[in-house]
Amino acid sequence: LRVCLKTARRLACLMAGSIVLFGPPGAGKGTQAGRIVNLTGKPQVSTGDMLRSAVKAGSPMGMAAKEFMVIIGLIEERLQGDDADSGVLFDGFPRTIPQAESLERIANVTSVISIEVPDDAIVERIVGRRMDPETDEIYHVTFKPAPSEVESRLIQRPDDNEETVRARLEAYHAQTAPLADWYAERGLLISIDGNSSIEEVGSSVEDAVRNNA
Ligand code: ADP
């Protein structure tokens, strides 16, 4: 792979296969990422978090050119880490075909796990999503209630409301969903039915990783 010819750790790079966890906002990517990390030992690279700490106001969609350069630079740097020798798990990136094309130049993506969930289920998931700021654990008021001792410190992301979700879904369908076909054409896409319980989706994700990644 030409990406690897430039790096000092050439052999590790050639063997390194990264996984992209793909799907609409609220599909359950963050919820399922830990299983993939446990199974593969690949560290999770959450570009949303990276961007939030690198630039003050990170807009998730319609990323400005400057932010785009920042994120590609951050990913490139992250891939140099010792723990990235056998690839990483990308969560929340890429979101557009141009981003995927840029990613192709710096990482060896060997599978894309797409969690498919219909829009109506997404709205319910996002509106009920709660985060534990201390552990970063993701909860849901109905589908994954937090233990009573952490309940009082739970936060809701400001953009996790119904209006914003509809706009984010629109952007997802316009800009991000076409990436599924793009990856499918390259033989990398593994689609998972995400419209069932957290446990059921989790075992489909694990099967996909065992069989393909
Ligand atoms: P993403 O990372 O794709 O944006 P999250 O993992 O944050 O999505 O999940 C969004 C919300 O939906 C969270 O509140 C989570 O607890 C809940 N959730 C995740 N997977 C499921 C599922 N299979 N069934 C019901 N709720 C789920």
Side-chain angles (χ1 to χ4, degrees):
L1 204 79
R2 77 184 178 292
V3 173
C4 299
L5 299 176
K6 291 183 291 188
T7 114
R9 282 205 294 272
R10 208 162 290 140
L11 186 64
C13 177
L14 282 167
M15 298 180 49
S18 289
I19 301 174
V20 169
L21 194 48
F22 183 81
K29 300 183 294 295
T31 300
Q32 303 296 346
R35 289 180 189 256
I36 305 179
V37 170
N38 289 340
L39 265 179
T40 63
K42 298 178 199 293
Q44 181 180 357
V45 173
S46 175
T47 50
D49 295 346
M50 284 163 74
L51 197 60
R52 269 189 285 275
S53 48
V55 284
K56 287 205 178 91
S59 74
M61 276 300 167
M63 213 182 263
K66 197 173 142 203
E67 290 180 5
F68 183 34
M69 299 305 286
V70 168
I71 202 77
I72 282 289
L74 288 171
I75 291 171
E76 203 164 6
E77 206 176 284
R78 184 67 188 80
L79 290 170
Q80 303 296 314
D82 289 340
D83 63 341
D85 271 357
S86 58
V88 300
L89 173 66
F90 290 107
D91 163 16
F93 191 89
R95 292 189 192 219
T96 63
I97 290 174
Q99 288 177 9
E101 286 167 341
S102 296
L103 185 62
E104 222 182 11
R105 284 179 224 116
I106 59 166
N108 179 21
V109 172
T110 50
S111 55
V112 176
I113 299 176
S114 169
I115 305 180
E116 298 182 345
V117 180
D119 285 7
D120 288 338
I122 289 295
V123 174
E124 196 181 4
R125 286 189 192 182
I126 291 211
V127 171
R129 172 160 62 186
R130 300 291 183 273
M131 327 285 289
D132 181 346
E134 276 181 34
T135 62
D136 288 330
E137 186 69 35
I138 305 162
Y139 293 102
H140 190 280
V141 290
T142 314
F143 304 127
K144 192 182 175 181
S148 52
E149 62 271 23
V150 307
E151 220 166 314
S152 62
R153 64 172 189 242
L154 292 183
I155 55 161
Q156 184 174 23
R157 287 192 195 157
D159 53 352
D160 278 358
N161 58 69
E162 177 147 8
E163 283 152 48
T164 318
V165 175
R166 298 270 177 207
R168 283 152 74 196
L169 278 172
E170 228 171 274
Y172 173 81
H173 288 298
Q175 299 172 46
T176 308
L179 248 185
D181 285 342
W182 193 86
Y183 277 124
E185 284 160 17
R186 286 154 181 78
L188 300 177
L189 192 76
I190 306 159
S191 296
I192 297 246
D193 177 10
N195 198 19
S196 55
S197 72
I198 292 178
E199 279 310 311
E200 285 168 318
V201 177
S203 50
S204 306
V205 167
E206 289 189 357
D207 288 346
V209 171
R210 285 207 185 86
N211 299 330
N212 300 281

